[in-house]
């Protein structure tokens, strides 16, 4: 509905509830958008590709286009349900730590790496899980990369379901994690003598 009035045209600032523009309100808005940048620093994996490290960084900062974030930007979405399990909200914390699919992936990674069962409540917990394990420096570095690659592959499965309607299969996700992990670790680290059969039995050997 369009209304007419005799008042003069004016600009309104939408960054503050008062609709009044001020340097203070701009600064407040900028600080709100930067929440977490200083306190949620992600340590990058030295051997995982940049695309996977950037994904991990954006996940911890909650800067990925989930339904939750699209709605905050006033973008209409058909559903807010998780595309992987259909039972939770499509947030990055749910996708990486609360979803049935991701839980099964972390369970299989735990068995594969012969470490205690991975439990997490947020994407930040997932990215830091390696530091809480009773492992040597080399094993922690390998596990860190595997976790980042696993998270990136789970996100990729979610996007394949959304854009190409490809059904999610745990075995496909795990196959890619193992294959890509082996390829990248062997060629992007100093562990050049990595053997496929040993890797498949236990990635942290």
């Amino acid at each position: 509905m369009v209304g007419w009035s005799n008042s003069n045209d004016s600009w309104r600032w939408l960054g503050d509830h008062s609709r009044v523009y001020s340097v203070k309100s701009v600064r407040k808005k900028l600080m709100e958008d930067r929440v977490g940048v200083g306190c949620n620093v992600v340590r990058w994996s030295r051997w995982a590709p940049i695309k996977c490290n950037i994904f991990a960084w954006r996940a911890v900062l909650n800067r990925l286009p989930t339904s939750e974030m699209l709605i905050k930007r006033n973008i209409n979405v058909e559903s807010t349900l998780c595309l992987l399990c259909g039972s939770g909200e499509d947030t990055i914390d749910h996708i990486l730590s609360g979803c049935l699919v991701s839980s099964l992936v972390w369970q299989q990674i735990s068995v594969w790496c012969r470490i205690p069962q991975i439990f997490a409540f947020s994407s930040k917990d997932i990215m830091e899980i390696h530091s809480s394990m009773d492992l040597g420096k080399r094993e922690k570095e390998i596990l860190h990369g595997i976790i980042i690659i696993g998270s990136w592959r789970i996100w990729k499965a979610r996007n394949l379901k959304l854009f190409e309607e490809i059904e999610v299969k745990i075995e496909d996700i795990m196959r890619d994690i193992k294959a890509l992990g082996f390829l990248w670790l062997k060629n992007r680290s100093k562990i050049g003598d990595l053997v496929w059969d040993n890797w498949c039995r236990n990635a942290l050997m």
Side-chain angles (χ1 to χ4, degrees):
M1 180 178 180
V2 178
W4 297 92
S5 68
N6 294 324
S7 60
N8 294 328
D9 293 340
S10 63
W11 291 94
R12 289 193 303 170
W13 168 244
L14 300 180
D16 187 77
H17 63 86
S18 68
R19 298 294 190 263
V20 177
Y21 176 85
S22 68
V23 174
K24 181 180 179 181
S25 66
V26 174
R27 184 174 184 273
K28 180 181 177 183
K29 182 63 177 174
L30 290 173
M31 293 304 294
E32 287 175 354
D33 290 343
R34 292 181 59 191
V35 168
V37 172
C39 59
N40 289 327
V41 178
V42 177
R43 189 176 73 82
W44 285 27
S45 168
R46 295 180 180 179
W47 61 272
I50 291 178
K51 64 180 178 181
C52 295
N53 281 301
I54 289 176
F55 164 79
W57 173 66
R58 292 184 67 195
V60 171
L61 294 179
N62 198 12
R63 294 293 189 268
L64 292 166
T66 58
S67 295
E68 173 196 37
M69 297 308 292
L70 292 176
I71 289 172
K72 286 184 178 180
R73 288 166 172 76
N74 296 319
I75 298 174
N76 292 326
V77 295
E78 291 185 6
S79 173
T80 61
L81 290 179
C82 173
L83 292 159
L84 298 175
C85 67
S87 61
E89 292 295 311
D90 188 48
T91 67
I92 194 60
D93 284 343
H94 170 79
I95 292 168
L96 296 184
S97 63
C99 176
L100 175 61
V101 170
S102 61
S103 297
L104 291 173
V105 170
W106 301 133
Q107 182 182 50
Q108 291 199 23
I109 286 178
S110 299
V111 173
W112 172 39
C113 295
R114 300 181 187 178
I115 58 174
Q117 178 64 48
I118 294 174
F119 291 106
F121 299 98
S122 68
S123 55
K124 188 172 188 294
D125 289 345
I126 286 292
M127 301 308 171
E128 294 182 349
I129 201 73
H130 67 283
S131 61
S132 64
M133 296 292 176
D134 185 19
L135 299 168
K137 182 178 179 180
R138 169 176 153 161
E139 288 76 19
K140 283 186 178 181
E141 185 176 341
I142 295 173
L143 179 61
H144 184 213
I146 290 172
I147 294 294
I148 288 178
I149 294 169
S151 300
W152 170 77
R153 185 56 182 81
I154 290 169
W155 175 254
K156 184 179 177 182
R158 178 256 187 201
N159 290 339
L160 287 172
K161 173 71 173 178
L162 174 62
F163 298 112
E164 300 181 30
E165 298 184 358
I166 295 177
E167 291 301 319
V168 178
K169 295 182 180 179
I170 303 297
E171 56 268 28
D172 290 344
I173 296 175
M174 284 303 303
R175 184 192 63 235
D176 286 351
I177 293 171
K178 290 182 179 181
L180 294 172
F182 177 81
L183 178 67
W184 289 334
L185 182 61
K186 187 174 180 65
N187 293 284
R188 298 173 60 90
S189 73
K190 295 180 180 179
I191 309 175
D193 59 346
L194 198 63
V195 178
W196 174 251
D197 289 340
N198 295 339
W199 171 260
C200 289
R201 283 195 296 269
N202 181 3
L204 305 185
M205 284 183 66

